[in-house]
Amino acid sequence: MKIEPLTCALGAEITHLQVSEAITNDDLAAEIKALLLTHKVLFLRDQQLDDTQHAAVARLFGELEDHPLASSVEGEPGIIHIYKTPDNPPDRYENGWHTDATWRENPPMGAVLRCVECPPVGGDTMWANMEWAYERLPEHIKNDIDDLRARHSIEAVFMAAKPIEERLAMKQRFPDPEHPVVRTHPETGHKSLFVNGFTTHFTNYHNPRRVRYGQDWTMGATDLLRYLTSQAAIPEYQVRWRWTPDAIAIWDNRCTQHYAVMDYPACHRKMHRATIVGDRPF
Ligand code: SIN
């Protein structure tokens, strides 16, 4: 196989490989896992994968989980549909910078996304390296946020347009977890910035070190969260992938964010995502 980095920040394309070979080849599986730790997102085109093989490739990294709101492929509950059709035109969910499902106590370790059908142009996906986003913060900000914690919620995003009973029931099922603002990768030990579109507020900002008057809390905390959340949008931290049918992306959800660009007119864009269970962030 050949490995070609796509940007200085993250992402590498692997060619001359059918990733399904790794299902029965432990050495190859170990090599791909190591490449994922190095590059954070791996891209491959022209992969001959059905849903069962797709799930098996994802299971090389861990068990799979479903999504409380997305439908799943029949017989493979760990593979969800992310479909945009002319009747269900591009909408508002995946086109915001996010780390998948940080509203879970244990957000996913990663995912394997497969393109089934895509528009001829448009509908790219972008990823951002959140280790760089942390490392390159001004020193005084790094010092300020090292002990900070934040709450993440499914409520204000996926549930906002639902009836209140449904919204509250979902909140009971996934009570907004608290995560560190600076996360340590469980395998590499690298620190990354861990706030995203699901983060609602800091939980331990309001202390005498930061807050003299109430105003310091409301504005200080809001401005800091907005500043930190905006870091994923810095182009130097990003890679952008143009989809073709049968292309896949494998990403490490512990140190990246992603954004599905919805710049295409009403048409079919069909993606299958296998989501891999993760650890509790620390
Ligand atoms: C996602 O946000 O996981 C989906 C990305 C995409 O559809 O490109």
Side-chain angles (χ1 to χ4, degrees):
M1 67 177 154
K2 191 165 162 240
I3 299 133
E4 191 182 345
L6 296 186
T7 68
C8 296
L10 81 166
E13 181 168 358
I14 302 180
T15 52
H16 305 97
L17 176 74
Q18 286 297 315
V19 72
S20 57
E21 288 170 24
I23 299 168
T24 51
N25 181 336
D26 292 347
D27 291 341
L28 181 58
E31 203 173 338
I32 290 169
K33 286 183 201 175
L35 285 170
L36 185 64
L37 292 181
T38 305
H39 297 287
K40 299 176 175 54
V41 196
L42 302 176
F43 301 102
L44 298 98
R45 292 198 191 276
D46 302 319
Q47 297 298 299
Q48 314 301 316
L49 289 178
D50 60 22
D51 290 317
T52 306
Q53 289 165 314
H54 179 179
V57 167
R59 279 201 193 93
L60 295 172
F61 299 89
E63 281 312 305
L64 307 188
E65 66 187 27
D66 62 7
H67 189 287
L69 291 168
S71 61
S72 295
V73 167
E74 203 169 324
E76 293 291 352
I79 300 197
I80 61 165
H81 298 125
I82 303 177
Y83 283 7
K84 309 295 171 194
T85 65
D87 304 332
N88 164 26
D91 62 16
R92 57 201 177 279
Y93 290 122
E94 296 92 19
N95 58 343
W97 282 104
H98 65 285
T99 299
D100 281 332
T102 59
W103 36 267
R104 289 184 187 269
E105 290 283 346
N106 292 4
M109 168 264 146
V112 180
L113 186 66
R114 180 164 71 96
C115 176
V116 177
E117 190 175 344
C118 56
V121 62
D124 299 351
T125 307
M126 302 168 74
W127 283 261
N129 179 342
M130 298 313 293
E131 289 176 3
W132 277 26
Y134 172 71
E135 279 161 25
R136 295 168 183 215
L137 286 170
E139 272 318 303
H140 73 277
I141 304 267
K142 281 204 238 182
N143 292 337
D144 194 28
I145 66 172
D146 257 355
D147 65 340
L148 211 50
R149 299 179 65 79
R151 209 161 281 294
H152 296 236
S153 178
I154 191 171
E155 184 177 33
V157 182
F158 294 123
M159 298 313 294
K162 305 267 186 199
I164 186 165
E165 299 76 19
E166 277 182 48
R167 176 155 58 77
L168 295 179
M170 187 66 84
K171 198 166 174 164
Q172 273 212 317
R173 214 174 134 198
F174 298 99
D176 303 348
E178 181 181 308
H179 295 308
V181 166
V182 181
R183 175 179 190 174
T184 304
H185 195 289
E187 294 187 74
T188 64
H190 297 157
K191 288 181 172 185
S192 64
L193 187 58
F194 196 59
V195 289
N196 73 94
F198 295 116
T199 313
T200 55
H201 62 278
F202 300 125
T203 48
N204 62 343
Y205 183 95
H206 200 311
N207 61 39
R209 179 158 70 85
R210 295 195 183 89
V211 176
R212 307 156 308 153
Y213 304 102
Q215 182 136 324
D216 292 342
W217 154 236
T218 44
M219 290 183 195
T222 308
D223 287 351
L224 180 60
L225 183 56
R226 283 174 55 168
Y227 171 73
L228 296 178
T229 309
S230 74
Q231 298 304 297
I234 293 177
E236 282 81 352
Y237 302 164
Q238 298 171 358
V239 63
R240 182 170 178 142
W241 176 248
R242 184 166 180 178
W243 290 104
T244 43
D246 296 325
I248 68 166
I250 307 173
W251 69 89
D252 188 333
N253 198 51
R254 300 165 294 188
C255 54
T256 60
Q257 291 195 33
H258 54 283
Y259 183 119
V261 180
M262 293 188 191
D263 53 351
Y264 47 96
C267 65
H268 290 275
R269 182 179 186 272
K270 295 190 172 182
M271 312 295 281
H272 286 187
R273 190 183 82 193
T275 316
I276 305 150
V277 172
D279 301 324
R280 197 182 169 97
F282 61 89

PDB file of all heavy atoms in Angstrom, residues 143-159:
ATOM      1  N   ASN A 143      -2.909  27.877  29.842  1.00  0.00           N
ATOM      2  CA  ASN A 143      -2.822  27.828  31.306  1.00  0.00           C
ATOM      3  C   ASN A 143      -4.201  27.965  31.928  1.00  0.00           C
ATOM      4  O   ASN A 143      -4.520  27.302  32.924  1.00  0.00           O
ATOM      5  CB  ASN A 143      -1.929  28.956  31.841  1.00  0.00           C
ATOM      6  CG  ASN A 143      -0.488  28.718  31.441  1.00  0.00           C
ATOM      7  OD1 ASN A 143      -0.098  27.585  31.164  1.00  0.00           O
ATOM      8  ND2 ASN A 143       0.301  29.787  31.378  1.00  0.00           N
ATOM      9  N   ASP A 144      -5.037  28.809  31.305  1.00  0.00           N
ATOM     10  CA  ASP A 144      -6.357  29.073  31.890  1.00  0.00           C
ATOM     11  C   ASP A 144      -7.289  27.869  31.754  1.00  0.00           C
ATOM     12  O   ASP A 144      -8.146  27.647  32.608  1.00  0.00           O
ATOM     13  CB  ASP A 144      -6.973  30.303  31.207  1.00  0.00           C
ATOM     14  CG  ASP A 144      -8.159  30.825  31.999  1.00  0.00           C
ATOM     15  OD1 ASP A 144      -8.175  30.637  33.226  1.00  0.00           O
ATOM     16  OD2 ASP A 144      -9.077  31.391  31.387  1.00  0.00           O
ATOM     17  N   ILE A 145      -7.153  27.101  30.686  1.00  0.00           N
ATOM     18  CA  ILE A 145      -8.180  26.074  30.432  1.00  0.00           C
ATOM     19  C   ILE A 145      -7.771  24.679  30.877  1.00  0.00           C
ATOM     20  O   ILE A 145      -8.577  23.757  30.780  1.00  0.00           O
ATOM     21  CB  ILE A 145      -8.588  26.042  28.935  1.00  0.00           C
ATOM     22  CG1 ILE A 145      -7.423  25.585  28.053  1.00  0.00           C
ATOM     23  CG2 ILE A 145      -9.108  27.410  28.493  1.00  0.00           C
ATOM     24  CD1 ILE A 145      -7.826  25.362  26.601  1.00  0.00           C
ATOM     25  N   ASP A 146      -6.551  24.520  31.366  1.00  0.00           N
ATOM     26  CA  ASP A 146      -6.071  23.162  31.654  1.00  0.00           C
ATOM     27  C   ASP A 146      -6.946  22.400  32.653  1.00  0.00           C
ATOM     28  O   ASP A 146      -7.050  21.189  32.563  1.00  0.00           O
ATOM     29  CB  ASP A 146      -4.615  23.188  32.110  1.00  0.00           C
ATOM     30  CG  ASP A 146      -3.697  22.747  30.968  1.00  0.00           C
ATOM     31  OD1 ASP A 146      -4.232  22.360  29.908  1.00  0.00           O
ATOM     32  OD2 ASP A 146      -2.468  22.791  31.144  1.00  0.00           O
ATOM     33  N   ASP A 147      -7.561  23.123  33.604  1.00  0.00           N
ATOM     34  CA  ASP A 147      -8.390  22.427  34.599  1.00  0.00           C
ATOM     35  C   ASP A 147      -9.883  22.605  34.329  1.00  0.00           C
ATOM     36  O   ASP A 147     -10.724  22.230  35.147  1.00  0.00           O
ATOM     37  CB  ASP A 147      -8.088  22.971  36.002  1.00  0.00           C
ATOM     38  CG  ASP A 147      -8.509  24.443  36.132  1.00  0.00           C
ATOM     39  OD1 ASP A 147      -8.669  25.112  35.082  1.00  0.00           O
ATOM     40  OD2 ASP A 147      -8.693  24.910  37.268  1.00  0.00           O
ATOM     41  N   LEU A 148     -10.214  23.176  33.188  1.00  0.00           N
ATOM     42  CA  LEU A 148     -11.614  23.537  32.933  1.00  0.00           C
ATOM     43  C   LEU A 148     -12.415  22.322  32.449  1.00  0.00           C
ATOM     44  O   LEU A 148     -11.891  21.447  31.751  1.00  0.00           O
ATOM     45  CB  LEU A 148     -11.623  24.637  31.869  1.00  0.00           C
ATOM     46  CG  LEU A 148     -12.718  25.681  31.887  1.00  0.00           C
ATOM     47  CD1 LEU A 148     -12.892  26.316  33.272  1.00  0.00           C
ATOM     48  CD2 LEU A 148     -12.401  26.759  30.851  1.00  0.00           C
ATOM     49  N   ARG A 149     -13.700  22.298  32.837  1.00  0.00           N
ATOM     50  CA  ARG A 149     -14.582  21.214  32.420  1.00  0.00           C
ATOM     51  C   ARG A 149     -15.833  21.810  31.794  1.00  0.00           C
ATOM     52  O   ARG A 149     -16.185  22.957  32.080  1.00  0.00           O
ATOM     53  CB  ARG A 149     -14.934  20.319  33.608  1.00  0.00           C
ATOM     54  CG  ARG A 149     -13.672  19.678  34.215  1.00  0.00           C
ATOM     55  CD  ARG A 149     -13.997  18.810  35.399  1.00  0.00           C
ATOM     56  NE  ARG A 149     -14.794  17.642  35.069  1.00  0.00           N
ATOM     57  CZ  ARG A 149     -14.331  16.521  34.528  1.00  0.00           C
ATOM     58  NH1 ARG A 149     -13.040  16.409  34.238  1.00  0.00           N
ATOM     59  NH2 ARG A 149     -15.135  15.509  34.269  1.00  0.00           N
ATOM     60  N   ALA A 150     -16.512  21.033  30.935  1.00  0.00           N
ATOM     61  CA  ALA A 150     -17.680  21.578  30.228  1.00  0.00           C
ATOM     62  C   ALA A 150     -18.752  20.511  30.056  1.00  0.00           C
ATOM     63  O   ALA A 150     -18.461  19.313  30.041  1.00  0.00           O
ATOM     64  CB  ALA A 150     -17.255  22.109  28.866  1.00  0.00           C
ATOM     65  N   ARG A 151     -19.991  20.980  29.921  1.00  0.00           N
ATOM     66  CA  ARG A 151     -21.113  20.079  29.725  1.00  0.00           C
ATOM     67  C   ARG A 151     -21.445  19.988  28.235  1.00  0.00           C
ATOM     68  O   ARG A 151     -21.281  20.977  27.500  1.00  0.00           O
ATOM     69  CB  ARG A 151     -22.316  20.586  30.525  1.00  0.00           C
ATOM     70  CG  ARG A 151     -23.216  19.469  30.957  1.00  0.00           C
ATOM     71  CD  ARG A 151     -24.126  19.826  32.101  1.00  0.00           C
ATOM     72  NE  ARG A 151     -23.525  19.821  33.427  1.00  0.00           N
ATOM     73  CZ  ARG A 151     -23.056  18.745  34.074  1.00  0.00           C
ATOM     74  NH1 ARG A 151     -23.106  17.559  33.514  1.00  0.00           N
ATOM     75  NH2 ARG A 151     -22.529  18.852  35.270  1.00  0.00           N
ATOM     76  N   HIS A 152     -21.845  18.784  27.820  1.00  0.00           N
ATOM     77  CA  HIS A 152     -22.192  18.541  26.416  1.00  0.00           C
ATOM     78  C   HIS A 152     -23.625  18.015  26.381  1.00  0.00           C
ATOM     79  O   HIS A 152     -24.024  17.257  27.274  1.00  0.00           O
ATOM     80  CB  HIS A 152     -21.240  17.496  25.811  1.00  0.00           C
ATOM     81  CG  HIS A 152     -19.815  17.957  25.751  1.00  0.00           C
ATOM     82  ND1 HIS A 152     -19.085  17.986  24.579  1.00  0.00           N
ATOM     83  CD2 HIS A 152     -18.969  18.418  26.721  1.00  0.00           C
ATOM     84  CE1 HIS A 152     -17.861  18.443  24.832  1.00  0.00           C
ATOM     85  NE2 HIS A 152     -17.760  18.702  26.122  1.00  0.00           N
ATOM     86  N   SER A 153     -24.378  18.381  25.350  1.00  0.00           N
ATOM     87  CA  SER A 153     -25.806  18.059  25.373  1.00  0.00           C
ATOM     88  C   SER A 153     -26.343  17.706  23.988  1.00  0.00           C
ATOM     89  O   SER A 153     -25.999  18.348  22.992  1.00  0.00           O
ATOM     90  CB  SER A 153     -26.566  19.266  25.924  1.00  0.00           C
ATOM     91  OG  SER A 153     -27.932  19.019  25.931  1.00  0.00           O
ATOM     92  N   ILE A 154     -27.205  16.696  23.974  1.00  0.00           N
ATOM     93  CA  ILE A 154     -27.906  16.356  22.724  1.00  0.00           C
ATOM     94  C   ILE A 154     -29.114  17.266  22.534  1.00  0.00           C
ATOM     95  O   ILE A 154     -29.644  17.414  21.436  1.00  0.00           O
ATOM     96  CB  ILE A 154     -28.335  14.868  22.743  1.00  0.00           C
ATOM     97  CG1 ILE A 154     -28.813  14.413  21.360  1.00  0.00           C
ATOM     98  CG2 ILE A 154     -29.388  14.593  23.815  1.00  0.00           C
ATOM     99  CD1 ILE A 154     -29.045  12.919  21.243  1.00  0.00           C
ATOM    100  N   GLU A 155     -29.529  17.907  23.638  1.00  0.00           N
ATOM    101  CA  GLU A 155     -30.812  18.598  23.689  1.00  0.00           C
ATOM    102  C   GLU A 155     -30.919  19.769  22.698  1.00  0.00           C
ATOM    103  O   GLU A 155     -31.875  19.861  21.938  1.00  0.00           O
ATOM    104  CB  GLU A 155     -31.031  19.113  25.115  1.00  0.00           C
ATOM    105  CG  GLU A 155     -32.364  19.767  25.306  1.00  0.00           C
ATOM    106  CD  GLU A 155     -32.580  20.198  26.744  1.00  0.00           C
ATOM    107  OE1 GLU A 155     -31.606  20.572  27.425  1.00  0.00           O
ATOM    108  OE2 GLU A 155     -33.738  20.170  27.163  1.00  0.00           O
ATOM    109  N   ALA A 156     -29.909  20.628  22.740  1.00  0.00           N
ATOM    110  CA  ALA A 156     -30.027  21.882  21.991  1.00  0.00           C
ATOM    111  C   ALA A 156     -29.803  21.699  20.491  1.00  0.00           C
ATOM    112  O   ALA A 156     -30.052  22.619  19.709  1.00  0.00           O
ATOM    113  CB  ALA A 156     -29.039  22.903  22.544  1.00  0.00           C
ATOM    114  N   VAL A 157     -29.313  20.527  20.081  1.00  0.00           N
ATOM    115  CA  VAL A 157     -29.030  20.320  18.657  1.00  0.00           C
ATOM    116  C   VAL A 157     -30.104  19.410  18.063  1.00  0.00           C
ATOM    117  O   VAL A 157     -31.081  19.874  17.485  1.00  0.00           O
ATOM    118  CB  VAL A 157     -27.611  19.743  18.462  1.00  0.00           C
ATOM    119  CG1 VAL A 157     -27.306  19.566  16.983  1.00  0.00           C
ATOM    120  CG2 VAL A 157     -26.579  20.654  19.115  1.00  0.00           C
ATOM    121  N   PHE A 158     -29.967  18.096  18.257  1.00  0.00           N
ATOM    122  CA  PHE A 158     -30.898  17.166  17.601  1.00  0.00           C
ATOM    123  C   PHE A 158     -32.321  17.264  18.151  1.00  0.00           C
ATOM    124  O   PHE A 158     -33.275  16.953  17.452  1.00  0.00           O
ATOM    125  CB  PHE A 158     -30.420  15.723  17.774  1.00  0.00           C
ATOM    126  CG  PHE A 158     -29.137  15.429  17.064  1.00  0.00           C
ATOM    127  CD1 PHE A 158     -28.033  14.956  17.752  1.00  0.00           C
ATOM    128  CD2 PHE A 158     -29.022  15.620  15.702  1.00  0.00           C
ATOM    129  CE1 PHE A 158     -26.851  14.684  17.107  1.00  0.00           C
ATOM    130  CE2 PHE A 158     -27.843  15.348  15.038  1.00  0.00           C
ATOM    131  CZ  PHE A 158     -26.754  14.882  15.744  1.00  0.00           C
ATOM    132  N   MET A 159     -32.464  17.643  19.422  1.00  0.00           N
ATOM    133  CA  MET A 159     -33.786  17.559  20.046  1.00  0.00           C
ATOM    134  C   MET A 159     -34.545  18.886  20.034  1.00  0.00           C
ATOM    135  O   MET A 159     -35.720  18.922  20.386  1.00  0.00           O
ATOM    136  CB  MET A 159     -33.649  17.072  21.497  1.00  0.00           C
ATOM    137  CG  MET A 159     -33.053  15.688  21.625  1.00  0.00           C
ATOM    138  SD  MET A 159     -33.778  14.472  20.506  1.00  0.00           S
ATOM    139  CE  MET A 159     -35.444  14.355  21.121  1.00  0.00           C
TER     140      MET A 159
END
